[in-house]
Coordinates of all heavy atoms in Angstrom, one line a residue:
M1 N 2.1 0.3 -15.0 CA 3.2 0.6 -14.2 C 4.5 0.1 -14.9 O 5.6 0.6 -14.4 CB 3.0 0.0 -12.9 CG 2.1 0.7 -11.9 SD 2.4 2.5 -11.7 CE 4.1 2.4 -11.1
E2 N 4.5 -0.7 -15.8 CA 5.7 -1.2 -16.4 C 6.5 -0.2 -17.1 O 7.8 -0.1 -16.9 CB 5.4 -2.4 -17.4 CG 4.9 -3.6 -16.7 CD 4.5 -4.7 -17.7 OE1 4.9 -4.6 -18.8 OE2 3.7 -5.6 -17.3
R3 N 5.9 0.7 -17.9 CA 6.7 1.7 -18.6 C 7.4 2.7 -17.6 O 8.6 2.9 -17.8 CB 5.8 2.5 -19.5 CG 6.6 3.5 -20.4 CD 5.7 4.3 -21.3 NE 4.5 4.9 -20.7 CZ 4.6 6.2 -20.1 NH1 5.7 6.8 -20.1 NH2 3.6 6.7 -19.5
P4 N 6.8 3.3 -16.6 CA 7.5 4.2 -15.7 C 8.6 3.5 -15.0 O 9.6 4.1 -14.6 CB 6.5 4.7 -14.8 CG 5.2 4.5 -15.4 CD 5.4 3.3 -16.3
L5 N 8.5 2.2 -14.7 CA 9.5 1.5 -13.9 C 10.8 1.2 -14.8 O 11.8 0.9 -14.2 CB 9.0 0.2 -13.3 CG 7.9 0.5 -12.2 CD1 7.3 -0.9 -11.8 CD2 8.6 1.1 -11.0
R6 N 10.7 1.3 -16.1 CA 11.9 1.0 -16.9 C 12.8 2.2 -17.0 O 14.0 2.1 -17.4 CB 11.4 0.6 -18.3 CG 10.8 -0.7 -18.4 CD 10.7 -1.2 -19.8 NE 9.9 -0.2 -20.6 CZ 8.7 -0.5 -21.1 NH1 8.1 -1.6 -20.9 NH2 8.1 0.5 -21.8
V7 N 12.3 3.4 -16.7 CA 13.0 4.7 -17.0 C 14.1 5.0 -16.0 O 15.2 5.3 -16.4 CB 12.0 5.8 -17.2 CG1 12.8 7.1 -17.4 CG2 11.1 5.5 -18.3
P8 N 13.8 5.0 -14.7 CA 14.9 5.6 -13.8 C 16.1 4.7 -13.7 O 16.0 3.5 -13.9 CB 14.1 5.6 -12.4 CG 13.0 4.7 -12.5 CD 12.6 4.6 -14.0
P9 N 17.2 5.3 -13.3 CA 18.4 4.5 -13.1 C 18.2 3.4 -12.0 O 19.0 2.4 -12.0 CB 19.5 5.5 -12.7 CG 18.9 6.8 -12.7 CD 17.4 6.7 -13.0
T10 N 17.3 3.6 -11.1 CA 17.0 2.7 -10.1 C 15.8 1.7 -10.5 O 15.1 1.2 -9.6 CB 16.7 3.4 -8.8 OG1 15.5 4.3 -9.0 CG2 17.8 4.2 -8.2
A11 N 15.7 1.5 -11.7 CA 14.5 0.7 -12.2 C 14.5 -0.7 -11.6 O 13.4 -1.1 -11.3 CB 14.6 0.6 -13.7
G12 N 15.6 -1.3 -11.4 CA 15.6 -2.6 -10.8 C 15.0 -2.6 -9.4 O 14.1 -3.4 -9.0
I13 N 15.4 -1.7 -8.6 CA 15.0 -1.6 -7.2 C 13.5 -1.1 -7.2 O 12.7 -1.6 -6.4 CB 15.8 -0.6 -6.4 CG1 17.3 -1.1 -6.3 CG2 15.2 -0.2 -5.1 CD1 18.3 -0.1 -5.8
A14 N 13.2 -0.1 -8.0 CA 11.8 0.3 -8.1 C 10.8 -0.8 -8.5 O 9.7 -0.9 -7.9 CB 11.7 1.5 -9.1
T15 N 11.2 -1.6 -9.5 CA 10.4 -2.7 -9.9 C 10.1 -3.7 -8.8 O 9.0 -4.1 -8.5 CB 11.0 -3.4 -11.1 OG1 11.1 -2.4 -12.2 CG2 10.1 -4.6 -11.6
K16 N 11.2 -4.1 -8.1 CA 11.1 -5.0 -7.0 C 10.2 -4.4 -5.9 O 9.3 -5.1 -5.3 CB 12.4 -5.4 -6.4 CG 13.2 -6.3 -7.3 CD 14.6 -6.6 -6.7 CE 15.4 -7.4 -7.7 NZ 16.8 -7.6 -7.3
S17 N 10.4 -3.1 -5.6 CA 9.5 -2.5 -4.5 C 8.1 -2.4 -5.0 O 7.2 -2.7 -4.1 CB 10.1 -1.1 -4.3 OG 9.3 -0.4 -3.3
W18 N 7.8 -2.1 -6.2 CA 6.4 -2.0 -6.7 C 5.8 -3.4 -6.6 O 4.7 -3.6 -6.2 CB 6.4 -1.5 -8.1 CG 5.0 -1.6 -8.7 CD1 4.6 -2.5 -9.6 CD2 3.8 -0.8 -8.3 NE1 3.2 -2.3 -9.9 CE2 2.8 -1.3 -9.1 CE3 3.6 0.2 -7.5 CZ2 1.5 -0.8 -9.0 CZ3 2.4 0.7 -7.4 CH2 1.3 0.3 -8.1
E19 N 6.5 -4.4 -7.1 CA 6.0 -5.8 -7.0 C 5.7 -6.3 -5.6 O 4.7 -7.0 -5.4 CB 7.0 -6.8 -7.7 CG 7.0 -6.6 -9.2 CD 8.1 -7.3 -9.9 OE1 9.0 -7.9 -9.2 OE2 8.2 -7.4 -11.1
K20 N 6.5 -5.9 -4.7 CA 6.3 -6.3 -3.3 C 5.3 -5.4 -2.5 O 4.5 -5.9 -1.7 CB 7.6 -6.3 -2.6 CG 7.6 -7.0 -1.2 CD 9.0 -7.2 -0.7 CE 8.9 -7.9 0.7 NZ 10.2 -8.2 1.2
F21 N 5.4 -4.1 -2.7 CA 4.6 -3.2 -1.9 C 3.6 -2.3 -2.7 O 2.8 -1.6 -2.0 CB 5.5 -2.3 -1.1 CG 6.5 -3.0 -0.3 CD1 7.9 -3.0 -0.6 CD2 6.2 -3.7 0.9 CE1 8.8 -3.7 0.1 CE2 7.1 -4.3 1.6 CZ 8.4 -4.3 1.3
G22 N 3.7 -2.2 -4.0 CA 2.9 -1.3 -4.8 C 1.4 -1.6 -4.7 O 1.0 -2.7 -4.5
E23 N 0.7 -0.5 -4.8 CA -0.8 -0.6 -4.6 C -1.5 0.5 -5.3 O -1.0 1.7 -5.3 CB -1.1 -0.6 -3.1 CG -2.5 -0.8 -2.8 CD -2.7 -0.9 -1.2 OE1 -1.7 -0.8 -0.5 OE2 -3.8 -1.2 -0.8
I24 N -2.6 0.2 -6.0 CA -3.4 1.3 -6.6 C -4.8 1.2 -5.8 O -5.3 0.1 -5.7 CB -3.6 1.0 -8.1 CG1 -2.3 1.2 -8.8 CG2 -4.7 2.0 -8.6 CD1 -2.4 0.8 -10.3
I25 N -5.2 2.3 -5.3 CA -6.4 2.3 -4.5 C -7.4 3.2 -5.2 O -7.1 4.4 -5.5 CB -6.2 2.8 -3.1 CG1 -5.2 1.9 -2.4 CG2 -7.5 2.9 -2.3 CD1 -4.7 2.5 -1.0
V26 N -8.6 2.7 -5.5 CA -9.6 3.5 -6.2 C -10.7 3.8 -5.1 O -11.1 2.9 -4.4 CB -10.2 2.8 -7.4 CG1 -11.3 3.6 -8.0 CG2 -9.1 2.4 -8.4
V27 N -11.1 5.0 -5.0 CA -12.1 5.4 -4.0 C -13.3 6.1 -4.6 O -13.3 6.5 -5.7 CB -11.4 6.3 -2.9 CG1 -10.3 5.6 -2.2 CG2 -10.9 7.6 -3.5
E28 N -14.3 6.3 -3.7 CA -15.5 6.9 -4.2 C -15.5 8.5 -4.0 O -16.3 9.2 -4.6 CB -16.7 6.4 -3.4 CG -17.0 4.9 -3.6 CD -17.6 4.6 -5.0 OE1 -18.4 5.5 -5.5 OE2 -17.3 3.6 -5.6
S29 N -14.7 8.9 -3.0 CA -14.7 10.4 -2.7 C -13.4 10.9 -2.4 O -12.5 10.2 -2.0 CB -15.7 10.6 -1.6 OG -15.2 10.1 -0.4
K30 N -13.2 12.2 -2.4 CA -12.0 12.9 -2.0 C -11.7 12.6 -0.5 O -10.6 12.4 -0.1 CB -12.1 14.4 -2.3 CG -12.2 14.7 -3.8 CD -12.1 16.2 -4.0 CE -13.4 16.9 -3.4 NZ -13.5 18.3 -3.8
Q31 N -12.8 12.7 0.3 CA -12.6 12.5 1.7 C -12.1 11.1 2.0 O -11.2 11.0 2.9 CB -13.9 12.8 2.5 CG -13.8 12.8 4.0 CD -12.7 13.7 4.5 OE1 -12.8 14.9 4.1 NE2 -11.8 13.3 5.3
E32 N -12.6 10.1 1.3 CA -12.2 8.8 1.5 C -10.7 8.6 1.2 O -9.9 8.0 1.9 CB -13.0 7.8 0.7 CG -12.6 6.3 0.9 CD -13.4 5.4 0.0 OE1 -14.2 5.8 -0.9 OE2 -13.2 4.2 0.2
M33 N -10.2 9.3 0.1 CA -8.8 9.2 -0.3 C -8.0 9.9 0.7 O -6.9 9.4 1.1 CB -8.6 9.8 -1.7 CG -7.2 9.7 -2.2 SD -6.7 7.9 -2.4 CE -5.5 7.7 -1.2
S34 N -8.4 11.1 1.2 CA -7.6 11.8 2.2 C -7.5 10.9 3.5 O -6.4 10.8 4.0 CB -8.3 13.1 2.5 OG -7.6 13.8 3.5
T35 N -8.6 10.3 3.9 CA -8.5 9.4 5.1 C -7.5 8.3 4.9 O -6.7 8.0 5.7 CB -9.9 8.9 5.4 OG1 -10.8 10.0 5.7 CG2 -9.9 8.0 6.6
I36 N -7.6 7.6 3.7 CA -6.7 6.5 3.4 C -5.3 7.0 3.4 O -4.4 6.3 4.0 CB -7.1 5.8 2.1 CG1 -8.4 5.1 2.3 CG2 -6.0 4.8 1.6 CD1 -9.1 4.5 1.1
A37 N -5.0 8.1 2.7 CA -3.6 8.6 2.6 C -3.1 8.9 4.0 O -1.9 8.6 4.3 CB -3.6 9.8 1.7
N38 N -3.9 9.5 4.8 CA -3.4 9.8 6.2 C -3.3 8.6 7.0 O -2.3 8.5 7.8 CB -4.4 10.8 6.8 CG -4.3 12.2 6.3 OD1 -3.2 12.6 5.9 ND2 -5.4 12.9 6.2
D39 N -4.1 7.6 6.9 CA -4.0 6.4 7.7 C -2.8 5.6 7.3 O -2.1 5.0 8.1 CB -5.3 5.5 7.5 CG -6.5 6.0 8.2 OD1 -6.4 7.0 9.0 OD2 -7.6 5.5 7.9
L40 N -2.5 5.5 6.0 CA -1.3 4.8 5.5 C 0.0 5.5 5.8 O 1.0 4.9 6.1 CB -1.4 4.5 4.0 CG -2.6 3.6 3.6 CD1 -2.7 3.4 2.1 CD2 -2.5 2.2 4.2
A41 N -0.1 6.8 5.6 CA 1.1 7.7 5.8 C 2.4 7.2 5.3 O 3.4 7.2 5.9 CB 1.2 8.0 7.3
F42 N 2.3 6.7 4.0 CA 3.5 6.2 3.4 C 4.5 7.4 3.1 O 4.0 8.6 3.0 CB 3.2 5.5 2.1 CG 2.5 4.2 2.2 CD1 1.4 3.9 1.4 CD2 2.9 3.3 3.2 CE1 0.8 2.7 1.6 CE2 2.3 2.1 3.3 CZ 1.2 1.8 2.5
E43 N 5.7 7.1 2.9 CA 6.7 8.1 2.5 C 6.4 8.8 1.2 O 6.5 10.0 1.0 CB 8.1 7.6 2.5 CG 9.1 8.6 2.3 CD 10.5 8.0 2.3 OE1 10.7 6.9 2.8 OE2 11.5 8.7 1.9
H44 N 5.9 8.0 0.2 CA 5.6 8.5 -1.1 C 4.2 8.1 -1.5 O 3.8 7.0 -1.5 CB 6.5 8.0 -2.1 CG 8.0 8.3 -1.9 ND1 8.5 9.6 -2.0 CD2 9.0 7.6 -1.4 CE1 9.7 9.6 -1.7 NE2 10.1 8.4 -1.3
V45 N 3.3 9.1 -1.7 CA 1.9 8.9 -2.1 C 1.7 9.8 -3.3 O 2.0 11.0 -3.3 CB 0.9 9.2 -1.0 CG1 -0.5 9.1 -1.5 CG2 1.2 8.4 0.2
Q46 N 1.1 9.2 -4.4 CA 0.7 10.0 -5.5 C -0.8 9.9 -5.6 O -1.4 8.9 -5.6 CB 1.3 9.5 -6.9 CG 0.8 10.3 -8.0 CD 1.4 9.8 -9.4 OE1 1.3 8.7 -9.7 NE2 1.9 10.7 -10.1
I47 N -1.4 11.1 -5.6 CA -2.9 11.2 -5.6 C -3.2 11.9 -6.9 O -2.8 12.9 -7.3 CB -3.4 12.1 -4.4 CG1 -3.0 11.4 -3.1 CG2 -4.9 12.3 -4.5 CD1 -3.3 12.3 -1.9
M48 N -4.1 11.2 -7.7 CA -4.6 11.7 -8.9 C -5.9 12.4 -8.7 O -6.9 11.8 -8.3 CB -4.7 10.6 -9.9 CG -3.4 9.9 -10.3 SD -3.5 8.7 -11.5 CE -4.3 9.6 -12.8
T49 N -5.9 13.7 -8.9 CA -7.1 14.5 -8.5 C -7.1 15.8 -9.4 O -6.1 16.2 -9.9 CB -7.0 14.9 -7.0 OG1 -8.2 15.7 -6.7 CG2 -5.8 15.7 -6.7
S50 N -8.2 16.4 -9.5 CA -8.4 17.7 -10.1 C -8.5 18.8 -9.1 O -8.7 19.9 -9.4 CB -9.6 17.7 -11.1 OG -10.8 17.4 -10.4
D51 N -8.4 18.4 -7.8 CA -8.6 19.3 -6.7 C -7.5 19.2 -5.7 O -7.6 18.8 -4.6 CB -10.0 19.0 -6.0 CG -10.3 20.1 -5.0 OD1 -9.6 21.1 -4.7 OD2 -11.4 20.0 -4.4
E52 N -6.3 19.7 -6.1 CA -5.1 19.6 -5.3 C -5.3 20.4 -4.0 O -4.8 20.0 -2.9 CB -3.9 20.2 -6.0 CG -3.5 19.4 -7.2 CD -4.1 19.9 -8.5 OE1 -5.0 20.7 -8.4 OE2 -3.7 19.4 -9.6
D53 N -6.0 21.5 -4.0 CA -6.2 22.3 -2.8 C -6.9 21.5 -1.7 O -6.5 21.7 -0.5 CB -7.0 23.6 -3.1 CG -6.3 24.6 -4.0 OD1 -5.0 24.5 -4.0 OD2 -6.9 25.4 -4.7
F54 N -7.8 20.7 -2.0 CA -8.5 19.9 -1.0 C -7.5 19.0 -0.3 O -7.5 18.9 0.9 CB -9.6 19.0 -1.6 CG -10.2 18.0 -0.7 CD1 -11.2 18.4 0.2 CD2 -9.8 16.7 -0.6 CE1 -11.7 17.6 1.1 CE2 -10.3 15.8 0.3 CZ -11.3 16.3 1.2
F55 N -6.6 18.4 -1.0 CA -5.6 17.5 -0.4 C -4.5 18.3 0.4 O -4.0 17.8 1.4 CB -5.0 16.5 -1.4 CG -6.1 15.5 -1.8 CD1 -6.8 15.7 -3.0 CD2 -6.4 14.4 -1.0 CE1 -7.7 14.7 -3.4 CE2 -7.4 13.5 -1.4 CZ -8.0 13.7 -2.5
L56 N -4.2 19.4 -0.1 CA -3.3 20.3 0.7 C -3.8 20.6 2.0 O -3.1 20.8 3.0 CB -2.9 21.5 -0.1 CG -2.0 21.3 -1.3 CD1 -1.8 22.5 -2.1 CD2 -0.6 20.8 -0.8
R57 N -5.2 20.8 2.1 CA -5.8 21.2 3.3 C -6.0 19.9 4.2 O -6.1 20.1 5.4 CB -7.2 21.8 3.1 CG -7.2 23.2 2.5 CD -8.5 23.8 2.5 NE -9.6 23.0 1.9 CZ -9.9 22.9 0.7 NH1 -9.3 23.5 -0.3 NH2 -10.9 22.1 0.3
T58 N -6.2 18.8 3.6 CA -6.6 17.6 4.4 C -5.5 16.6 4.6 O -5.6 15.7 5.5 CB -7.8 16.9 3.8 OG1 -7.5 16.4 2.5 CG2 -9.0 17.8 3.8
C59 N -4.4 16.6 3.8 CA -3.3 15.6 4.0 C -2.5 16.0 5.1 O -2.0 17.2 5.2 CB -2.5 15.6 2.7 SG -1.3 14.2 2.7
K60 N -2.3 15.1 6.1 CA -1.5 15.5 7.3 C 0.0 15.6 7.0 O 0.7 16.3 7.7 CB -1.7 14.4 8.3 CG -3.1 14.3 8.9 CD -3.2 13.2 9.9 CE -4.6 13.1 10.4 NZ -4.8 11.9 11.3
T61 N 0.5 15.0 5.9 CA 1.9 15.1 5.6 C 2.0 15.4 4.1 O 2.4 14.6 3.3 CB 2.6 13.8 5.9 OG1 2.0 12.7 5.2 CG2 2.7 13.6 7.3
P62 N 1.5 16.6 3.7 CA 1.5 17.0 2.2 C 2.9 16.9 1.6 O 3.0 16.8 0.4 CB 0.9 18.3 2.2 CG 1.1 18.9 3.5 CD 1.1 17.7 4.5
A63 N 4.0 17.0 2.3 CA 5.3 17.0 1.8 C 5.6 15.6 1.2 O 6.4 15.5 0.3 CB 6.3 17.3 2.8
H64 N 4.9 14.6 1.6 CA 5.1 13.2 1.1 C 4.1 12.9 0.0 O 4.2 11.8 -0.6 CB 4.9 12.2 2.2 CG 6.0 12.4 3.3 ND1 5.7 12.3 4.6 CD2 7.3 12.6 3.2 CE1 6.8 12.4 5.3 NE2 7.8 12.6 4.5
C65 N 3.2 13.8 -0.3 CA 2.2 13.6 -1.4 C 2.6 14.3 -2.7 O 3.1 15.4 -2.6 CB 0.8 14.0 -0.9 SG 0.2 13.2 0.5
S66 N 2.3 13.7 -3.8 CA 2.5 14.3 -5.0 C 1.1 14.3 -5.7 O 0.3 13.4 -5.5 CB 3.6 13.7 -5.9 OG 3.2 12.4 -6.2
W67 N 0.9 15.3 -6.6 CA -0.4 15.4 -7.2 C -0.3 15.2 -8.7 O 0.6 15.7 -9.3 CB -1.0 16.8 -6.9 CG -0.7 17.3 -5.5 CD1 0.2 18.2 -5.2 CD2 -1.2 16.7 -4.3 NE1 0.2 18.3 -3.8 CE2 -0.6 17.4 -3.3 CE3 -2.2 15.8 -4.0 CZ2 -0.9 17.2 -1.9 CZ3 -2.5 15.5 -2.7 CH2 -1.8 16.2 -1.7
A68 N -1.3 14.6 -9.3 CA -1.3 14.4 -10.7 C -2.7 14.4 -11.2 O -3.6 13.8 -10.6 CB -0.6 13.1 -11.1
R69 N -2.9 15.0 -12.4 CA -4.2 14.9 -13.0 C -4.3 13.7 -13.9 O -5.4 13.2 -14.2 CB -4.5 16.2 -13.8 CG -4.7 17.4 -12.9 CD -5.0 18.6 -13.7 NE -5.0 19.8 -12.8 CZ -6.1 20.3 -12.3 NH1 -7.2 19.8 -12.6 NH2 -6.0 21.3 -11.5
E70 N -3.2 13.1 -14.3 CA -3.1 11.9 -15.1 C -2.0 11.0 -14.6 O -1.1 11.5 -13.9 CB -2.9 12.3 -16.6 CG -4.0 13.1 -17.2 CD -3.7 13.3 -18.7 OE1 -3.0 12.5 -19.3 OE2 -4.3 14.3 -19.2
P71 N -2.1 9.7 -14.8 CA -1.0 8.8 -14.4 C 0.4 9.3 -14.9 O 0.5 9.7 -16.0 CB -1.4 7.5 -14.9 CG -2.8 7.6 -15.4 CD -3.1 9.0 -15.6
T72 N 1.4 9.1 -14.0 CA 2.7 9.3 -14.4 C 3.5 8.0 -14.6 O 3.1 7.0 -14.2 CB 3.5 10.2 -13.4 OG1 3.5 9.5 -12.2 CG2 2.9 11.5 -13.3

């Protein structure tokens, strides 16, 4: 996480936020991740998946989710 936090103009704020609130959650299944994302309902959620369609169908607030096949 250090490299991406150095880039934006808000790097200082982003770094403090990540240190205080950041979290990486590893799960066993897509359904488990969908449940966790919906339970947490954070404003910004990045889900790393090869099945974006599943999360578009199951995420209650897909506008707040971003999808990635690899870490950003």
Side-chain angles (χ1 to χ4, degrees):
M1 284 305 303
E2 291 176 19
R3 184 180 54 85
L5 290 174
R6 288 192 304 251
V7 176
T10 57
I13 294 168
T15 298
K16 287 178 185 175
S17 180
W18 173 255
E19 289 171 350
K20 189 170 183 179
F21 304 109
E23 186 172 4
I24 296 173
I25 301 171
V26 179
V27 297
E28 296 287 328
S29 70
K30 296 184 292 187
Q31 186 58 49
E32 183 182 6
M33 184 65 246
S34 180
T35 299
I36 290 170
N38 287 326
D39 287 348
L40 296 175
F42 292 134
E43 184 177 346
H44 301 287
V45 175
Q46 181 180 48
I47 298 173
M48 296 184 53
T49 180
S50 60
D51 189 358
E52 295 92 348
D53 291 337
F54 174 81
F55 289 100
L56 287 172
R57 289 190 313 272
T58 62
C59 188
K60 292 178 183 172
T61 55
H64 295 138
C65 296
S66 63
W67 322 106
R69 292 181 186 265
E70 296 185 21
T72 59

